[in-house]
């Protein structure tokens, strides 16, 4: 415990305003880890579901309160139970000039759902992680990355229709003598 405390620069409670109802930052530590200034955050899950990932941006502020850097962070593969508190395992490397910070929550993931804050309300979005990853790779493969267009979905519906019609046609040909007798009796 004593060795860890020797590397702590400062610590405290997070005082900036936050979005209530999802995940909030409760405490922070500025520490020197492997010679670099790092920020370690402690989160509190304010939801009624388990959180698997937290996506946020750290705005690094200098002593005058000006933004000196923006650091996007994806804290994933975690298990943060409802009402639970969890500290980050790894620190976020920050500038030596960083005197304060603000955290902007982007989204919280739980299972196949992503919860985002939009216009003051929490919006849940169901997503398939594999499809999402493919879309991100597709966007990254374009030269500028801005005009990325996702690929058209496959033609599975057309092939399913053709296969169904083929099976019906074969059945109709196989059972035509029986069908002809039934139709003849009715009419």
């Amino acid at each position: 415990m004593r060795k860890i405390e020797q590397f702590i620069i400062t610590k405290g409670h997070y005082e900036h305003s936050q979005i209530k109802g999802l995940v909030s930052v409760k405490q922070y530590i500025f520490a020197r880890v492997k010679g670099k200034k790092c920020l370690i955050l402690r989160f509190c899950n304010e939801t009624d579901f388990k959180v698997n990932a937290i996506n946020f941006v750290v705005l690094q502020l200098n002593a005058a309160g000006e933004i000196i850097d923006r650091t996007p962070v994806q804290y994933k593969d975690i298990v943060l139970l409802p009402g639970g508190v969890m500290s980050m395992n790894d620190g976020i490397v920050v500038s030596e000039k960083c005197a304060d910070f603000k955290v902007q929550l982007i989204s919280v993931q739980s299972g196949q759902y992503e919860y985002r804050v939009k216009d003051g309300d929490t919006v849940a979005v169901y997503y398939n992680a594999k499809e999402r990853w493919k879309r991100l790779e597709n966007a990254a493969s374009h030269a500028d990355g801005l005009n990325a267009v996702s690929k058209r979905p496959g033609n599975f519906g057309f092939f399913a229709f053709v296969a169904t019609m083929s099976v019906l046609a074969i059945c109709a040909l196989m059972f035509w003598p029986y069908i002809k007798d039934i139709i003849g009796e009715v009419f």
Side-chain angles (χ1 to χ4, degrees), residues 59-90:
L59 300 176
Q60 298 179 36
L61 308 173
N62 63 13
E66 299 167 340
I67 297 174
I68 56 174
D69 200 4
R70 297 171 192 267
T71 308
V73 180
Q74 184 178 30
Y75 191 41
K76 57 184 183 176
D77 299 327
I78 61 172
V79 178
L80 183 51
L81 299 175
V85 177
M86 174 181 278
S87 297
M88 299 178 70
N89 293 333
D90 299 323

Side-chain angles (χ1 to χ4, degrees), residues 18-178:
Q18 300 183 70
I19 298 165
K20 299 294 180 191
L22 282 177
V23 173
S24 62
V25 177
K26 290 297 178 195
Q27 297 170 321
Y28 68 91
I29 296 176
F30 278 111
R32 191 148 316 271
V33 179
K34 296 181 182 176
K36 296 181 181 178
K37 187 174 183 179
C38 294
L39 173 66
I40 301 168
L41 301 173
R42 184 175 195 131
F43 293 98
C44 179
N45 183 356
E46 298 176 358
T47 68
D48 58 352
F49 51 83
K50 178 175 69 172
V51 172
N52 302 112
I54 306 168
N55 300 310
F56 58 96
V57 174
V58 174
L59 300 176
Q60 298 179 36
L61 308 173
N62 63 13
E66 299 167 340
I67 297 174
I68 56 174
D69 200 4
R70 297 171 192 267
T71 308
V73 180
Q74 184 178 30
Y75 191 41
K76 57 184 183 176
D77 299 327
I78 61 172
V79 178
L80 183 51
L81 299 175
V85 177
M86 174 181 278
S87 297
M88 299 178 70
N89 293 333
D90 299 323
I92 303 163
V93 177
V94 296
S95 169
E96 290 295 328
K97 296 178 183 177
C98 181
D100 196 8
F101 68 96
K102 289 185 180 179
V103 173
Q104 292 179 337
L105 183 67
I106 306 281
S107 66
V108 171
Q109 295 173 3
S110 177
Q112 293 293 320
Y113 289 91
E114 180 175 72
Y115 298 87
R116 292 181 168 260
V117 176
K118 185 175 181 180
D119 300 328
D121 293 328
T122 302
V123 179
V125 178
Y126 177 81
Y127 70 93
N128 182 332
K130 290 180 183 178
E131 289 299 319
R132 184 175 183 190
W133 183 252
K134 286 180 187 176
R135 283 188 307 220
L136 290 173
E137 285 180 332
N138 187 28
S141 69
H142 288 75
D144 59 2
L146 298 175
N147 298 321
V149 179
S150 61
K151 295 180 182 178
R152 265 182 54 191
N155 292 328
F156 177 75
F158 174 75
F159 292 116
F161 173 75
V162 170
T164 303
M165 295 310 292
S166 299
V167 168
L168 289 174
I170 291 171
C171 288
L173 289 174
M174 287 177 49
F175 296 107
W176 178 246
Y178 303 110

